[in-house]
Amino acid sequence: MNRDEPLVLGIETSCDETGIGIVRGRTLLSNTIASSMDEHARYGGVVPEVAARAHLEALQPAIEAAVAEAGIRLEDLDAVAVTSGPGLAGALMVGVGAAKALAVSLDKPLYAVNHLVGHIAADVLTGERVEYPTVALLVSGGHTSLLLVRDLVDDVELLGETMDDAAGEAFDKVARILGLPYPGGPEIDRAAAAGDPDAVRFPRGLSRASDLAEHRYDFSFSGLKTAVARWVEQAPEVSVPDVAASFREAVVDVLVAKALDACARHDVPRLLLGGGVIANRRLREVALERAAAAGVAVRIPPLSLCTDNGAMIAALAAELIMNGRGPSTLDFGADSTLPVTEIQVAR
């Protein structure tokens, strides 16, 4: 195995996107994504059984496309990597089964890694030097997590996470309340562009002084979603742009405030943003603006590497290999609640 610049294929199937990525060390060769989002749109959200079946159908074509784009043969690989968790159990099982079959058939080592830490690893593919420690804010449809990363392969601490709805999930639910289509994030963003973010003062969950002792870095968006629903029910006239902008501002305010508080409290002048919700224009805008005022450097990988993808999984495995870590055994399975502190599974 080439431990200096390992050639790794990564498989990511934690939710509704089948991601196959190929990296050589820290160089991205291919990032192929097959999304089943359109299939879930009719239901207004991700249906686990539909996602799992879509992964089954998409995996082989996605692997073939990734290999062709990278200009390699499967036999050339140094290792195979896969998301073991967290995520949807059925969806994860498809990826784990495929990765095991591929690794065994090729007689290649297999690395089972953590999906959330993978989002952090995406940053190594930007070509710029990554400095640690860093605070990482990961925001997606299924996860809202605040992490302290002292070392990518050794030391990732969970500072806080969502206690109910993830931010992306709240966007989907509020979009439905406002009569906007799924997925809600881009639709809320578009509607909010013409709205007034100060039109309605929606609550900022877990941000009161009484919350900070126990839930300083935790998030809660369920109450915010309910507040929007009640406001829409009672308002004599509803301006969708104003409600969308006000809701978005409440979410962004909490996310950025808690992330920068973590930077200040842990004396870390770096903040990494990851996850699909980072595509939200206002979130990036506010994070950059407030971080600059606080003397915190913000890193945002390309949006193609922020959403769920196989390249980030391959990148994390490559980092493990370059740091001398051995492969996972074949004993691991899909773990929908895998803790972020478990960077590699079943070593």
Side-chain angles (χ1 to χ4, degrees):
M1 179 192 291
N2 180 355
R3 292 191 175 273
D4 294 326
E5 286 192 315
L7 182 63
V8 183
L9 181 146
I11 299 176
E12 154 59 31
T13 63
S14 66
C15 192
D16 63 338
E17 289 169 318
T18 307
I20 306 297
I22 299 175
V23 305
R24 191 184 299 277
R26 297 188 177 101
T27 301
L28 176 63
L29 301 183
S30 174
N31 184 25
T32 300
I33 298 174
S35 176
S36 60
M37 185 179 296
D38 290 344
E39 297 177 50
H40 301 285
R42 71 184 73 174
Y43 306 107
V46 176
V47 179
E49 292 81 2
V50 173
R53 183 170 293 278
H55 289 312
L56 278 170
E57 295 172 352
L59 262 170
Q60 184 172 339
I63 291 173
E64 291 173 354
V67 168
E69 181 183 353
I72 65 159
R73 301 174 305 158
L74 286 173
E75 293 79 10
D76 299 331
L77 293 172
D78 290 308
V80 176
V82 67
T83 297
S84 177
L88 302 175
L92 289 167
M93 288 172 64
V94 176
V96 167
K100 288 182 178 182
L102 187 61
V104 170
S105 67
L106 295 172
D107 192 25
K108 302 293 182 179
L110 178 60
Y111 286 77
V113 301
N114 191 294
H115 171 80
L116 295 179
V117 183
H119 276 297
I120 304 167
D123 195 46
V124 306
L125 299 175
T126 61
E128 299 179 18
R129 182 172 175 270
V130 183
E131 292 186 71
Y132 300 106
T134 185
V135 170
L137 175 64
L138 308 181
V139 193
S140 68
H143 305 283
T144 304
S145 306
L146 195 56
L147 314 174
L148 176 59
V149 186
R150 297 185 183 89
D151 186 283
L152 180 61
V153 299
D154 270 323
D155 191 350
V156 178
E157 178 185 349
L158 177 66
L159 298 179
E161 61 187 341
T162 184
M163 300 179 67
D164 39 60
D165 292 346
E169 187 179 1
F171 271 95
D172 290 338
K173 291 179 177 178
V174 168
R176 193 178 310 145
I177 292 168
L178 296 176
L180 300 174
Y182 174 88
E187 297 297 332
I188 292 283
D189 219 18
R190 276 191 282 271
D196 177 4
D198 299 317
V200 186
R201 175 69 185 183
F202 287 124
R204 273 64 170 161
L206 298 181
S207 294
R208 296 175 300 184
S210 58
D211 298 320
L212 298 183
E214 191 174 351
H215 299 293
R216 189 179 194 98
Y217 300 125
D218 290 321
F219 303 93
S220 173
F221 297 110
S222 181
L224 171 59
K225 171 207 66 184
T226 302
V228 173
R230 287 179 177 169
W231 194 93
V232 169
E233 286 172 3
Q234 296 170 5
E237 186 176 338
V238 176
S239 166
V240 170
D242 284 350
V243 175
S246 298
F247 161 75
R248 183 181 67 173
E249 199 70 10
V251 174
V252 168
D253 191 16
V254 170
L255 291 173
V256 175
K258 288 186 178 254
L260 291 179
D261 179 50
C263 288
R265 199 167 193 194
H266 290 88
D267 194 26
V268 175
R270 289 171 288 276
L271 174 62
L272 171 66
L273 304 181
V277 178
I278 300 304
N280 186 282
R281 178 184 57 80
R282 182 62 177 159
L283 176 54
R284 298 196 308 274
E285 186 179 88
V286 171
L288 290 169
E289 181 182 299
R290 294 190 191 173
V296 173
V298 177
R299 293 180 67 96
I300 307 175
L303 295 184
S304 62
L305 293 175
C306 285
T307 56
D308 293 347
N309 64 86
M312 68 186 193
I313 301 305
L316 178 53
E319 291 296 314
L320 290 166
I321 293 168
M322 289 187 288
N323 277 271
R325 302 302 169 82
S328 303
T329 68
L330 292 177
D331 295 334
F332 75 92
D335 187 346
S336 61
T337 59
L338 183 68
V340 71
T341 50
E342 194 166 350
I343 298 167
Q344 181 185 357
V345 183
R347 280 184 280 171

